[in-house]
Amino acid sequence: MTPRIVVLSAPSGGGKTTIAKTVREQYPDRFGFSVSATTRKPRSGETEGVDYYFWKPDEFLKGVNHGKFLEHAQYGGELYGTLKSDVQQILDSGRHVLLDIEVQGAEQVRKLDPNVLTIFILPSDPRVLIRRLVERGSETPEQIQQRLERATYEIGQATEFQRWIRNDDLQEAVRAVVKAVEDRAGTVVRDRHDIAWLNSYLKQLKSEQQKG
Ligand code: 5GP
């Protein structure tokens, strides 16, 4: 088994964090998880070094200047980045490394590593995603609109990913990730239903945006 970087991306509410956590828990000998650095404040229940490394903006920028990041990006006004050291340590231990990152970071990793596996995750039904987007956070109409806009942008980037995994059943999604990593590097899997599904997704999200 050649250890690979596995990028999981999804719009907010897509469920990628739960999938990443479950893959790592169920297959600890095969998968490790890279803990990112971020300038955002910890949410309740989050632990330093487990969920993120919570860095001050100047610390983060110093890390950028010292070449500590494999990739980094801005999201919601905060900085997020994958540390080379974390990724290397997991690869050196012979395990695949899961990155739970947004789409701009995914693009940077794709350019750096031809062996990467990139996966985009979405619940099948756009109404499920919309409900999760609406239910998360403070729910001001402006914030909901921002999340819908961001989700629309991110789903528009899905075509850049090698796999699309529908997150309706956690165990099925976990199996799909574990199976995909065994495929030859660079393999893209799609069928025409996938394309139709993604197009209808975007239409529904846009119509929700117009309602707002
Ligand atoms: P949250 O603040 O909700 O934990 O994460 C916001 C977004 O940032 C999510 O889409 C998450 O996947 C992404 N993210 C987390 N860590 C990183 C990272 O190291 N790099 C990039 N590019 N995105 C990240």
Side-chain angles (χ1 to χ4, degrees):
M1 171 183 100
T2 308
R4 300 172 73 182
I5 296 178
V6 181
V7 167
L8 300 180
S9 282
S12 172
K16 64 182 179 308
T17 310
T18 307
I19 294 175
K21 194 166 166 255
T22 311
V23 169
R24 187 183 30 160
E25 279 169 5
Q26 292 185 354
Y27 300 91
D29 300 338
R30 287 163 69 185
F31 290 86
F33 179 73
S34 156
V35 177
S36 294
T38 182
T39 58
R40 87 151 161 73
K41 300 274 173 296
R43 295 188 187 124
S44 85
E46 286 184 331
T47 309
E48 164 73 23
V50 175
D51 299 287
Y52 282 106
Y53 301 108
F54 296 100
W55 285 6
K56 296 195 178 70
D58 59 335
E59 236 179 315
F60 195 102
L61 294 174
K62 216 195 264 172
V64 173
N65 290 335
H66 289 176
K68 286 192 176 172
F69 290 106
L70 184 68
E71 62 73 36
H72 67 280
Q74 206 171 0
Y75 182 99
E78 303 289 350
L79 293 163
Y80 294 83
T82 303
L83 290 161
K84 287 179 186 168
S85 52
D86 260 46
V87 170
Q88 200 53 54
Q89 195 195 353
I90 296 166
L91 292 175
D92 288 348
S93 73
R95 292 173 301 156
H96 305 300
V97 51
L98 293 160
L99 308 187
D100 166 352
I101 64 178
E102 52 66 71
V103 294
Q104 297 164 55
E107 189 183 349
Q108 294 172 46
V109 180
R110 187 164 42 237
K111 285 182 178 152
L112 283 172
D113 179 8
N115 199 35
V116 68
L117 168 64
T118 57
I119 299 177
F120 196 83
I121 293 165
L122 276 173
S124 284
D125 185 342
R127 284 170 303 185
V128 173
L129 186 78
I130 292 164
R131 201 181 58 230
R132 290 194 197 153
L133 283 168
V134 169
E135 282 171 359
R136 278 168 73 143
S138 55
E139 296 173 45
T140 68
E142 291 75 23
Q143 282 167 330
I144 292 166
Q145 277 308 308
Q146 277 171 7
R147 289 192 192 141
L148 283 172
E149 271 165 38
R150 178 82 196 186
T152 307
Y153 159 72
E154 291 188 321
I155 295 166
Q157 302 294 307
T159 48
E160 303 294 328
F161 287 72
Q162 294 160 353
R163 290 286 184 299
W164 298 345
I165 291 182
R166 301 178 193 213
N167 180 22
D168 301 319
D169 177 276
L170 177 62
Q171 284 311 324
E172 264 178 42
V174 166
R175 274 196 296 276
V177 172
V178 173
K179 185 170 173 292
V181 83
E182 302 302 336
D183 288 346
R184 200 161 43 84
T187 315
V188 175
V189 176
R190 298 263 194 281
D191 66 32
R192 62 195 167 83
H193 303 296
D194 282 339
I195 307 281
W197 168 62
L198 197 75
N199 283 336
S200 95
Y201 228 100
L202 284 168
K203 263 197 208 135
Q204 287 201 43
L205 280 178
K206 280 183 185 144
S207 93
E208 285 300 316
Q209 264 174 264
Q210 277 152 12
K211 276 191 220 161

